[in-house]
Structure formats: structure tokens, C-alpha cells
PDB file of all heavy atoms in Angstrom:
ATOM      1  N   LYS A   1      -2.838   0.232   9.936  1.00 92.00           N
ATOM      2  CA  LYS A   1      -3.945  -0.703   9.752  1.00 92.00           C
ATOM      3  C   LYS A   1      -4.166  -1.590  10.971  1.00 92.00           C
ATOM      4  O   LYS A   1      -5.257  -2.125  11.162  1.00 92.00           O
ATOM      5  CB  LYS A   1      -3.715  -1.569   8.510  1.00 92.00           C
ATOM      6  CG  LYS A   1      -3.733  -0.755   7.224  1.00 92.00           C
ATOM      7  CD  LYS A   1      -5.038  -0.007   7.091  1.00 92.00           C
ATOM      8  CE  LYS A   1      -5.099   0.839   5.846  1.00 92.00           C
ATOM      9  NZ  LYS A   1      -6.425   1.430   5.654  1.00 92.00           N
ATOM     10  N   LEU A   2      -3.155  -1.742  11.807  1.00 92.00           N
ATOM     11  CA  LEU A   2      -3.290  -2.553  13.009  1.00 92.00           C
ATOM     12  C   LEU A   2      -3.596  -1.717  14.250  1.00 92.00           C
ATOM     13  O   LEU A   2      -3.960  -2.258  15.284  1.00 92.00           O
ATOM     14  CB  LEU A   2      -2.010  -3.367  13.239  1.00 92.00           C
ATOM     15  CG  LEU A   2      -1.726  -4.425  12.171  1.00 92.00           C
ATOM     16  CD1 LEU A   2      -0.353  -5.040  12.393  1.00 92.00           C
ATOM     17  CD2 LEU A   2      -2.804  -5.494  12.169  1.00 92.00           C
ATOM     18  N   TRP A   3      -3.443  -0.396  14.151  1.00 87.00           N
ATOM     19  CA  TRP A   3      -3.726   0.490  15.287  1.00 87.00           C
ATOM     20  C   TRP A   3      -5.230   0.436  15.563  1.00 87.00           C
ATOM     21  O   TRP A   3      -6.029   0.645  14.643  1.00 87.00           O
ATOM     22  CB  TRP A   3      -3.277   1.911  14.951  1.00 87.00           C
ATOM     23  CG  TRP A   3      -3.316   2.842  16.118  1.00 87.00           C
ATOM     24  CD1 TRP A   3      -4.255   3.789  16.367  1.00 87.00           C
ATOM     25  CD2 TRP A   3      -2.370   2.918  17.172  1.00 87.00           C
ATOM     26  NE1 TRP A   3      -3.953   4.450  17.514  1.00 87.00           N
ATOM     27  CE2 TRP A   3      -2.800   3.937  18.043  1.00 87.00           C
ATOM     28  CE3 TRP A   3      -1.204   2.220  17.478  1.00 87.00           C
ATOM     29  CZ2 TRP A   3      -2.109   4.278  19.200  1.00 87.00           C
ATOM     30  CZ3 TRP A   3      -0.504   2.558  18.618  1.00 87.00           C
ATOM     31  CH2 TRP A   3      -0.959   3.575  19.464  1.00 87.00           C
ATOM     32  N   PRO A   4      -5.629   0.153  16.785  1.00 80.00           N
ATOM     33  CA  PRO A   4      -7.048  -0.094  17.077  1.00 80.00           C
ATOM     34  C   PRO A   4      -8.013   1.027  16.673  1.00 80.00           C
ATOM     35  O   PRO A   4      -9.145   0.764  16.316  1.00 80.00           O
ATOM     36  CB  PRO A   4      -7.080  -0.280  18.596  1.00 80.00           C
ATOM     37  CG  PRO A   4      -5.691  -0.572  18.993  1.00 80.00           C
ATOM     38  CD  PRO A   4      -4.790   0.019  17.960  1.00 80.00           C
ATOM     39  N   HIS A   5      -7.565   2.270  16.702  1.00 78.00           N
ATOM     40  CA  HIS A   5      -8.477   3.378  16.435  1.00 78.00           C
ATOM     41  C   HIS A   5      -8.226   4.059  15.092  1.00 78.00           C
ATOM     42  O   HIS A   5      -8.803   5.100  14.818  1.00 78.00           O
ATOM     43  CB  HIS A   5      -8.372   4.413  17.555  1.00 78.00           C
ATOM     44  CG  HIS A   5      -8.593   3.814  18.900  1.00 78.00           C
ATOM     45  ND1 HIS A   5      -9.815   3.330  19.305  1.00 78.00           N
ATOM     46  CD2 HIS A   5      -7.743   3.573  19.920  1.00 78.00           C
ATOM     47  CE1 HIS A   5      -9.712   2.836  20.528  1.00 78.00           C
ATOM     48  NE2 HIS A   5      -8.469   2.965  20.922  1.00 78.00           N
ATOM     49  N   GLY A   6      -7.364   3.505  14.278  1.00 70.00           N
ATOM     50  CA  GLY A   6      -7.035   4.168  13.025  1.00 70.00           C
ATOM     51  C   GLY A   6      -6.181   5.392  13.289  1.00 70.00           C
ATOM     52  O   GLY A   6      -5.592   5.541  14.368  1.00 70.00           O
ATOM     53  N   LEU A   7      -6.113   6.281  12.331  1.00 77.00           N
ATOM     54  CA  LEU A   7      -5.263   7.455  12.469  1.00 77.00           C
ATOM     55  C   LEU A   7      -5.831   8.578  11.613  1.00 77.00           C
ATOM     56  O   LEU A   7      -6.282   8.354  10.496  1.00 77.00           O
ATOM     57  CB  LEU A   7      -3.836   7.121  12.003  1.00 77.00           C
ATOM     58  CG  LEU A   7      -2.785   8.205  12.095  1.00 77.00           C
ATOM     59  CD1 LEU A   7      -2.493   8.559  13.546  1.00 77.00           C
ATOM     60  CD2 LEU A   7      -1.507   7.753  11.416  1.00 77.00           C
ATOM     61  N   ALA A   8      -5.785   9.784  12.146  1.00 78.00           N
ATOM     62  CA  ALA A   8      -6.209  10.962  11.386  1.00 78.00           C
ATOM     63  C   ALA A   8      -5.056  11.950  11.369  1.00 78.00           C
ATOM     64  O   ALA A   8      -4.493  12.289  12.404  1.00 78.00           O
ATOM     65  CB  ALA A   8      -7.439  11.589  12.003  1.00 78.00           C
ATOM     66  N   LEU A   9      -4.676  12.371  10.178  1.00 79.00           N
ATOM     67  CA  LEU A   9      -3.628  13.375   9.995  1.00 79.00           C
ATOM     68  C   LEU A   9      -4.228  14.509   9.177  1.00 79.00           C
ATOM     69  O   LEU A   9      -4.243  14.456   7.953  1.00 79.00           O
ATOM     70  CB  LEU A   9      -2.412  12.790   9.272  1.00 79.00           C
ATOM     71  CG  LEU A   9      -1.690  11.642   9.954  1.00 79.00           C
ATOM     72  CD1 LEU A   9      -0.666  11.025   9.017  1.00 79.00           C
ATOM     73  CD2 LEU A   9      -1.025  12.124  11.229  1.00 79.00           C
ATOM     74  N   GLY A  10      -4.742  15.507   9.864  1.00 76.00           N
ATOM     75  CA  GLY A  10      -5.410  16.598   9.153  1.00 76.00           C
ATOM     76  C   GLY A  10      -6.608  16.062   8.391  1.00 76.00           C
ATOM     77  O   GLY A  10      -7.454  15.379   8.974  1.00 76.00           O
ATOM     78  N   PRO A  11      -6.669  16.322   7.077  1.00 78.00           N
ATOM     79  CA  PRO A  11      -7.826  15.854   6.293  1.00 78.00           C
ATOM     80  C   PRO A  11      -7.748  14.365   5.944  1.00 78.00           C
ATOM     81  O   PRO A  11      -8.711  13.801   5.440  1.00 78.00           O
ATOM     82  CB  PRO A  11      -7.759  16.707   5.032  1.00 78.00           C
ATOM     83  CG  PRO A  11      -6.309  17.005   4.877  1.00 78.00           C
ATOM     84  CD  PRO A  11      -5.767  17.140   6.288  1.00 78.00           C
ATOM     85  N   LEU A  12      -6.611  13.728   6.219  1.00 75.00           N
ATOM     86  CA  LEU A  12      -6.451  12.316   5.886  1.00 75.00           C
ATOM     87  C   LEU A  12      -6.914  11.450   7.052  1.00 75.00           C
ATOM     88  O   LEU A  12      -6.494  11.656   8.192  1.00 75.00           O
ATOM     89  CB  LEU A  12      -4.987  12.004   5.572  1.00 75.00           C
ATOM     90  CG  LEU A  12      -4.358  12.783   4.429  1.00 75.00           C
ATOM     91  CD1 LEU A  12      -2.884  12.455   4.328  1.00 75.00           C
ATOM     92  CD2 LEU A  12      -5.064  12.470   3.127  1.00 75.00           C
ATOM     93  N   HIS A  13      -7.772  10.494   6.751  1.00 77.00           N
ATOM     94  CA  HIS A  13      -8.273   9.588   7.776  1.00 77.00           C
ATOM     95  C   HIS A  13      -7.965   8.162   7.355  1.00 77.00           C
ATOM     96  O   HIS A  13      -8.360   7.728   6.277  1.00 77.00           O
ATOM     97  CB  HIS A  13      -9.779   9.767   7.967  1.00 77.00           C
ATOM     98  CG  HIS A  13     -10.139  11.131   8.430  1.00 77.00           C
ATOM     99  ND1 HIS A  13     -10.069  11.500   9.745  1.00 77.00           N
ATOM    100  CD2 HIS A  13     -10.544  12.226   7.754  1.00 77.00           C
ATOM    101  CE1 HIS A  13     -10.421  12.769   9.863  1.00 77.00           C
ATOM    102  NE2 HIS A  13     -10.709  13.239   8.657  1.00 77.00           N
ATOM    103  N   PHE A  14      -7.243   7.460   8.208  1.00 80.00           N
ATOM    104  CA  PHE A  14      -6.870   6.078   7.936  1.00 80.00           C
ATOM    105  C   PHE A  14      -7.651   5.188   8.892  1.00 80.00           C
ATOM    106  O   PHE A  14      -7.644   5.405  10.095  1.00 80.00           O
ATOM    107  CB  PHE A  14      -5.366   5.873   8.139  1.00 80.00           C
ATOM    108  CG  PHE A  14      -4.531   6.756   7.263  1.00 80.00           C
ATOM    109  CD1 PHE A  14      -4.049   7.976   7.734  1.00 80.00           C
ATOM    110  CD2 PHE A  14      -4.227   6.383   5.968  1.00 80.00           C
ATOM    111  CE1 PHE A  14      -3.273   8.789   6.931  1.00 80.00           C
ATOM    112  CE2 PHE A  14      -3.461   7.196   5.159  1.00 80.00           C
ATOM    113  CZ  PHE A  14      -2.981   8.403   5.638  1.00 80.00           C
ATOM    114  N   VAL A  15      -8.315   4.191   8.342  1.00 80.00           N
ATOM    115  CA  VAL A  15      -9.152   3.299   9.128  1.00 80.00           C
ATOM    116  C   VAL A  15      -8.374   2.031   9.452  1.00 80.00           C
ATOM    117  O   VAL A  15      -7.725   1.447   8.581  1.00 80.00           O
ATOM    118  CB  VAL A  15     -10.434   2.944   8.339  1.00 80.00           C
ATOM    119  CG1 VAL A  15     -11.309   1.975   9.106  1.00 80.00           C
ATOM    120  CG2 VAL A  15     -11.200   4.210   7.984  1.00 80.00           C
ATOM    121  N   ALA A  16      -8.447   1.620  10.708  1.00 86.00           N
ATOM    122  CA  ALA A  16      -7.825   0.360  11.104  1.00 86.00           C
ATOM    123  C   ALA A  16      -8.612  -0.795  10.478  1.00 86.00           C
ATOM    124  O   ALA A  16      -9.827  -0.866  10.638  1.00 86.00           O
ATOM    125  CB  ALA A  16      -7.810   0.236  12.620  1.00 86.00           C
ATOM    126  N   ASP A  17      -7.928  -1.647   9.742  1.00 90.00           N
ATOM    127  CA  ASP A  17      -8.582  -2.781   9.099  1.00 90.00           C
ATOM    128  C   ASP A  17      -7.507  -3.806   8.748  1.00 90.00           C
ATOM    129  O   ASP A  17      -6.750  -3.630   7.790  1.00 90.00           O
ATOM    130  CB  ASP A  17      -9.324  -2.328   7.841  1.00 90.00           C
ATOM    131  CG  ASP A  17     -10.067  -3.462   7.151  1.00 90.00           C
ATOM    132  OD1 ASP A  17      -9.935  -4.631   7.566  1.00 90.00           O
ATOM    133  OD2 ASP A  17     -10.780  -3.169   6.167  1.00 90.00           O
ATOM    134  N   ARG A  18      -7.460  -4.849   9.536  1.00 93.00           N
ATOM    135  CA  ARG A  18      -6.440  -5.890   9.323  1.00 93.00           C
ATOM    136  C   ARG A  18      -6.518  -6.515   7.933  1.00 93.00           C
ATOM    137  O   ARG A  18      -5.506  -6.961   7.405  1.00 93.00           O
ATOM    138  CB  ARG A  18      -6.572  -6.987  10.377  1.00 93.00           C
ATOM    139  CG  ARG A  18      -6.224  -6.548  11.766  1.00 93.00           C
ATOM    140  CD  ARG A  18      -6.476  -7.672  12.771  1.00 93.00           C
ATOM    141  NE  ARG A  18      -6.303  -7.200  14.117  1.00 93.00           N
ATOM    142  CZ  ARG A  18      -5.143  -7.234  14.768  1.00 93.00           C
ATOM    143  NH1 ARG A  18      -4.082  -7.721  14.180  1.00 93.00           N
ATOM    144  NH2 ARG A  18      -5.056  -6.782  15.993  1.00 93.00           N
ATOM    145  N   THR A  19      -7.696  -6.536   7.329  1.00 94.00           N
ATOM    146  CA  THR A  19      -7.818  -7.155   6.005  1.00 94.00           C
ATOM    147  C   THR A  19      -7.055  -6.364   4.949  1.00 94.00           C
ATOM    148  O   THR A  19      -6.716  -6.908   3.897  1.00 94.00           O
ATOM    149  CB  THR A  19      -9.289  -7.313   5.574  1.00 94.00           C
ATOM    150  OG1 THR A  19      -9.883  -6.032   5.381  1.00 94.00           O
ATOM    151  CG2 THR A  19     -10.087  -8.102   6.604  1.00 94.00           C
ATOM    152  N   ASP A  20      -6.783  -5.083   5.229  1.00 95.00           N
ATOM    153  CA  ASP A  20      -6.025  -4.271   4.271  1.00 95.00           C
ATOM    154  C   ASP A  20      -4.579  -4.740   4.133  1.00 95.00           C
ATOM    155  O   ASP A  20      -3.906  -4.410   3.158  1.00 95.00           O
ATOM    156  CB  ASP A  20      -6.047  -2.798   4.670  1.00 95.00           C
ATOM    157  CG  ASP A  20      -7.407  -2.166   4.469  1.00 95.00           C
ATOM    158  OD1 ASP A  20      -8.237  -2.757   3.738  1.00 95.00           O
ATOM    159  OD2 ASP A  20      -7.653  -1.088   5.044  1.00 95.00           O
ATOM    160  N   LEU A  21      -4.100  -5.514   5.094  1.00 97.00           N
ATOM    161  CA  LEU A  21      -2.740  -6.037   5.000  1.00 97.00           C
ATOM    162  C   LEU A  21      -2.586  -6.957   3.785  1.00 97.00           C
ATOM    163  O   LEU A  21      -1.464  -7.163   3.312  1.00 97.00           O
ATOM    164  CB  LEU A  21      -2.351  -6.766   6.289  1.00 97.00           C
ATOM    165  CG  LEU A  21      -2.335  -5.908   7.553  1.00 97.00           C
ATOM    166  CD1 LEU A  21      -1.967  -6.765   8.764  1.00 97.00           C
ATOM    167  CD2 LEU A  21      -1.404  -4.717   7.423  1.00 97.00           C
ATOM    168  N   ALA A  22      -3.693  -7.451   3.267  1.00 97.00           N
ATOM    169  CA  ALA A  22      -3.648  -8.269   2.050  1.00 97.00           C
ATOM    170  C   ALA A  22      -3.175  -7.461   0.845  1.00 97.00           C
ATOM    171  O   ALA A  22      -2.795  -8.028  -0.179  1.00 97.00           O
ATOM    172  CB  ALA A  22      -5.030  -8.859   1.764  1.00 97.00           C
ATOM    173  N   CYS A  23      -3.156  -6.129   0.974  1.00 97.00           N
ATOM    174  CA  CYS A  23      -2.708  -5.261  -0.127  1.00 97.00           C
ATOM    175  C   CYS A  23      -1.190  -5.079  -0.139  1.00 97.00           C
ATOM    176  O   CYS A  23      -0.648  -4.523  -1.111  1.00 97.00           O
ATOM    177  CB  CYS A  23      -3.378  -3.891  -0.018  1.00 97.00           C
ATOM    178  SG  CYS A  23      -5.175  -3.962  -0.180  1.00 97.00           S
ATOM    179  N   LEU A  24      -0.492  -5.524   0.896  1.00 98.00           N
ATOM    180  CA  LEU A  24       0.962  -5.320   0.977  1.00 98.00           C
ATOM    181  C   LEU A  24       1.745  -5.845  -0.232  1.00 98.00           C
ATOM    182  O   LEU A  24       2.766  -5.256  -0.586  1.00 98.00           O
ATOM    183  CB  LEU A  24       1.518  -5.895   2.279  1.00 98.00           C
ATOM    184  CG  LEU A  24       1.240  -5.051   3.519  1.00 98.00           C
ATOM    185  CD1 LEU A  24       1.611  -5.824   4.784  1.00 98.00           C
ATOM    186  CD2 LEU A  24       1.988  -3.732   3.457  1.00 98.00           C
ATOM    187  N   PRO A  25       1.311  -6.919  -0.896  1.00 98.00           N
ATOM    188  CA  PRO A  25       2.048  -7.344  -2.091  1.00 98.00           C
ATOM    189  C   PRO A  25       2.135  -6.276  -3.188  1.00 98.00           C
ATOM    190  O   PRO A  25       2.985  -6.363  -4.073  1.00 98.00           O
ATOM    191  CB  PRO A  25       1.271  -8.573  -2.571  1.00 98.00           C
ATOM    192  CG  PRO A  25       0.703  -9.148  -1.315  1.00 98.00           C
ATOM    193  CD  PRO A  25       0.322  -7.927  -0.498  1.00 98.00           C
ATOM    194  N   ALA A  26       1.312  -5.238  -3.124  1.00 98.00           N
ATOM    195  CA  ALA A  26       1.409  -4.138  -4.095  1.00 98.00           C
ATOM    196  C   ALA A  26       2.765  -3.448  -4.005  1.00 98.00           C
ATOM    197  O   ALA A  26       3.197  -2.793  -4.958  1.00 98.00           O
ATOM    198  CB  ALA A  26       0.282  -3.133  -3.880  1.00 98.00           C
ATOM    199  N   LEU A  27       3.448  -3.621  -2.881  1.00 98.00           N
ATOM    200  CA  LEU A  27       4.797  -3.051  -2.751  1.00 98.00           C
ATOM    201  C   LEU A  27       5.757  -3.651  -3.782  1.00 98.00           C
ATOM    202  O   LEU A  27       6.756  -3.024  -4.139  1.00 98.00           O
ATOM    203  CB  LEU A  27       5.334  -3.254  -1.335  1.00 98.00           C
ATOM    204  CG  LEU A  27       4.631  -2.439  -0.251  1.00 98.00           C
ATOM    205  CD1 LEU A  27       5.059  -2.913   1.133  1.00 98.00           C
ATOM    206  CD2 LEU A  27       4.902  -0.950  -0.425  1.00 98.00           C
ATOM    207  N   ALA A  28       5.443  -4.844  -4.274  1.00 98.00           N
ATOM    208  CA  ALA A  28       6.282  -5.452  -5.315  1.00 98.00           C
ATOM    209  C   ALA A  28       6.237  -4.612  -6.591  1.00 98.00           C
ATOM    210  O   ALA A  28       7.229  -4.543  -7.329  1.00 98.00           O
ATOM    211  CB  ALA A  28       5.821  -6.882  -5.601  1.00 98.00           C
ATOM    212  N   ILE A  29       5.110  -3.960  -6.846  1.00 97.00           N
ATOM    213  CA  ILE A  29       5.020  -3.085  -8.022  1.00 97.00           C
ATOM    214  C   ILE A  29       5.922  -1.879  -7.830  1.00 97.00           C
ATOM    215  O   ILE A  29       6.602  -1.443  -8.765  1.00 97.00           O
ATOM    216  CB  ILE A  29       3.558  -2.665  -8.290  1.00 97.00           C
ATOM    217  CG1 ILE A  29       2.696  -3.905  -8.549  1.00 97.00           C
ATOM    218  CG2 ILE A  29       3.483  -1.689  -9.463  1.00 97.00           C
ATOM    219  CD1 ILE A  29       1.207  -3.623  -8.573  1.00 97.00           C
ATOM    220  N   ALA A  30       5.965  -1.349  -6.608  1.00 97.00           N
ATOM    221  CA  ALA A  30       6.878  -0.236  -6.315  1.00 97.00           C
ATOM    222  C   ALA A  30       8.323  -0.668  -6.532  1.00 97.00           C
ATOM    223  O   ALA A  30       9.139   0.092  -7.066  1.00 97.00           O
ATOM    224  CB  ALA A  30       6.680   0.265  -4.884  1.00 97.00           C
ATOM    225  N   TRP A  31       8.655  -1.890  -6.133  1.00 97.00           N
ATOM    226  CA  TRP A  31      10.011  -2.406  -6.360  1.00 97.00           C
ATOM    227  C   TRP A  31      10.294  -2.481  -7.859  1.00 97.00           C
ATOM    228  O   TRP A  31      11.357  -2.096  -8.325  1.00 97.00           O
ATOM    229  CB  TRP A  31      10.211  -3.772  -5.715  1.00 97.00           C
ATOM    230  CG  TRP A  31      11.573  -4.312  -5.999  1.00 97.00           C
ATOM    231  CD1 TRP A  31      11.923  -5.207  -6.959  1.00 97.00           C
ATOM    232  CD2 TRP A  31      12.789  -3.919  -5.353  1.00 97.00           C
ATOM    233  NE1 TRP A  31      13.279  -5.412  -6.944  1.00 97.00           N
ATOM    234  CE2 TRP A  31      13.831  -4.629  -5.962  1.00 97.00           C
ATOM    235  CE3 TRP A  31      13.081  -3.039  -4.323  1.00 97.00           C
ATOM    236  CZ2 TRP A  31      15.155  -4.498  -5.575  1.00 97.00           C
ATOM    237  CZ3 TRP A  31      14.404  -2.909  -3.928  1.00 97.00           C
ATOM    238  CH2 TRP A  31      15.422  -3.632  -4.555  1.00 97.00           C
ATOM    239  N   TRP A  32       9.328  -2.974  -8.629  1.00 96.00           N
ATOM    240  CA  TRP A  32       9.496  -3.089 -10.078  1.00 96.00           C
ATOM    241  C   TRP A  32       9.719  -1.711 -10.702  1.00 96.00           C
ATOM    242  O   TRP A  32      10.581  -1.548 -11.561  1.00 96.00           O
ATOM    243  CB  TRP A  32       8.270  -3.780 -10.679  1.00 96.00           C
ATOM    244  CG  TRP A  32       8.315  -3.864 -12.165  1.00 96.00           C
ATOM    245  CD1 TRP A  32       9.036  -4.741 -12.919  1.00 96.00           C
ATOM    246  CD2 TRP A  32       7.641  -3.007 -13.080  1.00 96.00           C
ATOM    247  NE1 TRP A  32       8.833  -4.486 -14.256  1.00 96.00           N
ATOM    248  CE2 TRP A  32       7.979  -3.421 -14.379  1.00 96.00           C
ATOM    249  CE3 TRP A  32       6.780  -1.924 -12.924  1.00 96.00           C
ATOM    250  CZ2 TRP A  32       7.485  -2.791 -15.509  1.00 96.00           C
ATOM    251  CZ3 TRP A  32       6.283  -1.298 -14.057  1.00 96.00           C
ATOM    252  CH2 TRP A  32       6.645  -1.745 -15.331  1.00 96.00           C
ATOM    253  N   ILE A  33       8.931  -0.710 -10.268  1.00 95.00           N
ATOM    254  CA  ILE A  33       9.095   0.649 -10.777  1.00 95.00           C
ATOM    255  C   ILE A  33      10.497   1.161 -10.445  1.00 95.00           C
ATOM    256  O   ILE A  33      11.182   1.725 -11.295  1.00 95.00           O
ATOM    257  CB  ILE A  33       8.025   1.592 -10.194  1.00 95.00           C
ATOM    258  CG1 ILE A  33       6.642   1.225 -10.733  1.00 95.00           C
ATOM    259  CG2 ILE A  33       8.350   3.051 -10.492  1.00 95.00           C
ATOM    260  CD1 ILE A  33       5.497   1.902  -9.990  1.00 95.00           C
ATOM    261  N   GLY A  34      10.915   0.981  -9.200  1.00 93.00           N
ATOM    262  CA  GLY A  34      12.247   1.430  -8.781  1.00 93.00           C
ATOM    263  C   GLY A  34      13.358   0.706  -9.515  1.00 93.00           C
ATOM    264  O   GLY A  34      14.357   1.315  -9.901  1.00 93.00           O
ATOM    265  N   ALA A  35      13.187  -0.596  -9.718  1.00 93.00           N
ATOM    266  CA  ALA A  35      14.202  -1.367 -10.454  1.00 93.00           C
ATOM    267  C   ALA A  35      14.296  -0.882 -11.890  1.00 93.00           C
ATOM    268  O   ALA A  35      15.393  -0.816 -12.469  1.00 93.00           O
ATOM    269  CB  ALA A  35      13.856  -2.855 -10.404  1.00 93.00           C
TER     270      ALA A  35
END
């Protein structure tokens, strides 16, 4: 998300967008699932 040009891996295209970092708290749900 911080890489200036985004990233493309085959059919997957990731767009650089610093505002997406606001989604990082969703990792807490992954922790809850794992716990």
C-alpha cells in the first residue's frame, strides 16, 4: 500500500493507497480467530 506504483502479481493487482492502512486493525480479527 505504500509502494508508489502498487503491485501486480499475475491477475492480482494491488493499488498503492495509504488510506488503506486504516484497515490494519482488521488483523485483530485474525488474532481472535487464531486464539
